[in-house]
Amino acid sequence: QVQLVESGGGLVQAGGSLRLSCAASGSISNFNPVGWYRQVPGKQRELVAVITSSGSTNYADSVKGRFTISRDKDNAKNMIYLQMNSLKSEDTAVYYCHAHSRYTSWDYWGQGTQVTVSS
């Protein structure tokens, strides 16, 4: 059973930074891609950033230049990160870690971590 556990969320002032972490119970080399999504009440979950096993990244237009996704280069720690800088009030949401199995095509989600940006 694959588990994804997020951490690092919290309350921050506008313009501040947070770093989200996602720990996978299995090797993240089994997943491609992995990424972060976010959701606010009443709205659909939206893509924030994804990264492939080759290191290619893709970001939502709203976070380009401010957020950076990364994964352990040697996959040893099975971690996925999201560095969030210059945070805005509109970044307030629950952030979810996501992993797509390259073998079964199943999608796995973490439980989510709340990020609140005060203006």
Side-chain angles (χ1 to χ4, degrees), residues 20-35:
L20 303 184
S21 300
C22 175
S25 60
S27 172
I28 60 171
S29 64
N30 294 330
F31 305 103
N32 188 37
V34 295

Side-chain angles (χ1 to χ4, degrees), residues 3-119:
Q3 286 188 320
L4 303 173
V5 180
E6 302 99 334
S7 61
L11 174 64
V12 64
Q13 288 187 334
S17 298
L18 281 175
R19 188 195 195 204
L20 303 184
S21 300
C22 175
S25 60
S27 172
I28 60 171
S29 64
N30 294 330
F31 305 103
N32 188 37
V34 295
W36 292 91
Y37 288 69
R38 66 187 181 187
Q39 189 171 23
V40 297
K43 292 189 176 181
Q44 287 190 332
R45 193 170 296 186
E46 64 174 7
L47 171 71
V48 176
V50 292
I51 184 168
T52 68
S53 56
S54 63
S56 296
T57 58
N58 189 34
Y59 296 91
D61 288 341
S62 59
V63 307
K64 283 181 181 177
R66 300 187 298 120
F67 291 12
T68 303
I69 188 172
S70 63
R71 58 195 293 173
D72 289 316
K73 292 182 179 180
D74 59 2
N75 295 324
K77 296 183 179 179
N78 301 322
M79 297 292 292
I80 308 154
Y81 305 99
L82 184 68
Q83 178 66 43
M84 305 186 294
N85 299 327
S86 302
L87 283 161
K88 305 175 181 179
S89 57
E90 50 263 44
D91 295 318
T92 295
V94 177
Y95 284 71
Y96 296 90
C97 180
H98 169 263
H100 179 79
S101 172
R102 65 170 68 196
Y103 300 115
T104 65
S105 294
W106 290 353
D107 291 301
Y108 297 92
W109 295 92
Q111 83 287 353
T113 184
Q114 176 71 47
V115 172
T116 302
V117 183
S118 62
S119 58

